[in-house]
Amino acid sequence: MLNTIKNPYVSVAMTDDLRDNFIEAYNANKPNIPERIKILAENKFKSDIQLEDILWLKKKLPKDVRIYKLLENCDVKLPAPELEPRNPELEARIQKLKVLEEERRYQDMTRNVDTSRVRHPEDSIAYQMKEMNRQLIGVLQVVLSISTGFAFGFIGINWLIGPLEVSVRLVLGLVSAFVIGTAELYFFVKKIAETLDPPPATNKKKI
């Protein structure tokens, strides 16, 4: 039977026009009929056809009949790929991650609605404003330290040593501001990094 022939490629659904032409070509070319066409005849030309069947019919059609006209309204069936079953452990892990992700999204959606749930301090506006103020204060401290360092190099050294040229005082002020500003920026960035990514808490054993 035709259903025992496996088709790993493209197949075409049989139409009435194709069936009539197959029957006519089959009757006109007996007994020199290929095995596949015989199988189609056993099924009364109701099964899907393959490329080799179409090529056979093309050779047997009259000159006034074009094969592309017969195939215009046909449904083309593409082969379905054989998918290997997914690893059960991997599938279980994926399902677990999906559940965790859905739970996280649900918590984010209901964070501002569910008043009975204890909110994290970092979720509050007050906490965010406090953190913003701390960062602004840190920036002002850096600017103030750089300004103080420049004033020390430009004015303070002039008082300690004596009158100096303006260009020398300017260089001393810039060097002092650069050194102090570098140190301040280092500690400021370090503090921000610790705020964004706090170190893991260590469990101390009680004696």
Side-chain angles (χ1 to χ4, degrees), residues 12-22 45-49 69-75:
V12 178
M14 184 70 74
T15 62
D16 294 337
D17 291 340
L18 274 174
R19 185 180 298 106
D20 294 340
N21 283 273
F22 265 108
F45 295 98
K46 294 182 179 180
S47 304
D48 296 340
I49 57 176
K69 289 290 186 180
L70 299 176
L71 298 174
E72 281 182 347
N73 299 322
C74 294
D75 293 331

Side-chain angles (χ1 to χ4, degrees), residues 50-67:
Q50 300 179 14
L51 179 60
E52 55 186 304
D53 307 325
I54 297 173
L55 294 177
W56 179 85
L57 178 63
K58 180 182 177 182
K59 296 177 182 179
K60 307 303 178 181
L61 286 175
K63 293 183 179 180
D64 58 339
V65 180
R66 295 292 181 264
I67 188 67

Side-chain angles (χ1 to χ4, degrees), residues 10-190:
V10 178
S11 60
V12 178
M14 184 70 74
T15 62
D16 294 337
D17 291 340
L18 274 174
R19 185 180 298 106
D20 294 340
N21 283 273
F22 265 108
I23 294 174
E24 184 177 349
Y26 176 80
N27 294 328
N29 291 275
K30 288 181 179 180
N32 298 323
I33 302 296
E35 187 64 27
R36 274 198 55 84
I37 304 303
K38 292 180 180 179
I39 297 176
L40 284 172
E42 291 177 2
N43 285 306
K44 298 181 180 180
F45 295 98
K46 294 182 179 180
S47 304
D48 296 340
I49 57 176
Q50 300 179 14
L51 179 60
E52 55 186 304
D53 307 325
I54 297 173
L55 294 177
W56 179 85
L57 178 63
K58 180 182 177 182
K59 296 177 182 179
K60 307 303 178 181
L61 286 175
K63 293 183 179 180
D64 58 339
V65 180
R66 295 292 181 264
I67 188 67
Y68 71 89
K69 289 290 186 180
L70 299 176
L71 298 174
E72 281 182 347
N73 299 322
C74 294
D75 293 331
V76 178
K77 299 180 180 180
L78 300 177
E82 295 182 2
L83 301 177
E84 296 183 359
R86 185 176 289 178
N87 189 317
E89 295 181 359
L90 177 61
E91 181 67 23
R93 185 176 181 183
I94 291 175
Q95 295 300 327
K96 183 178 180 180
L97 292 176
K98 286 183 179 179
V99 172
L100 293 176
E101 179 65 17
E102 291 177 358
E103 178 66 21
R104 186 188 67 80
R105 291 181 180 179
Y106 174 78
Q107 296 295 336
D108 292 339
M109 292 172 58
T110 58
R111 182 170 294 166
N112 296 327
V113 179
D114 189 0
T115 57
S116 62
R117 185 160 56 92
V118 178
R119 299 178 62 183
H120 299 286
E122 60 269 16
D123 296 334
S124 61
I125 298 178
Y127 179 84
Q128 296 177 1
M129 294 296 297
K130 183 178 179 181
E131 288 296 319
M132 187 180 298
N133 291 334
R134 288 177 57 186
Q135 295 178 4
L136 290 176
I137 292 173
V139 172
L140 293 177
Q141 288 178 350
V142 172
V143 174
L144 182 61
S145 298
I146 294 175
S147 302
T148 304
F150 178 80
F152 171 77
F154 188 78
I155 300 174
I157 296 179
N158 187 58
W159 287 350
L160 294 176
I161 298 177
L164 297 172
E165 295 183 3
V166 177
S167 59
V168 176
R169 294 168 59 191
L170 182 62
V171 170
L172 292 175
L174 291 176
V175 171
S176 300
F178 177 76
V179 173
I180 296 175
T182 302
E184 287 288 343
L185 284 174
Y186 169 76
F187 289 109
F188 178 68
V189 172
K190 184 178 180 182

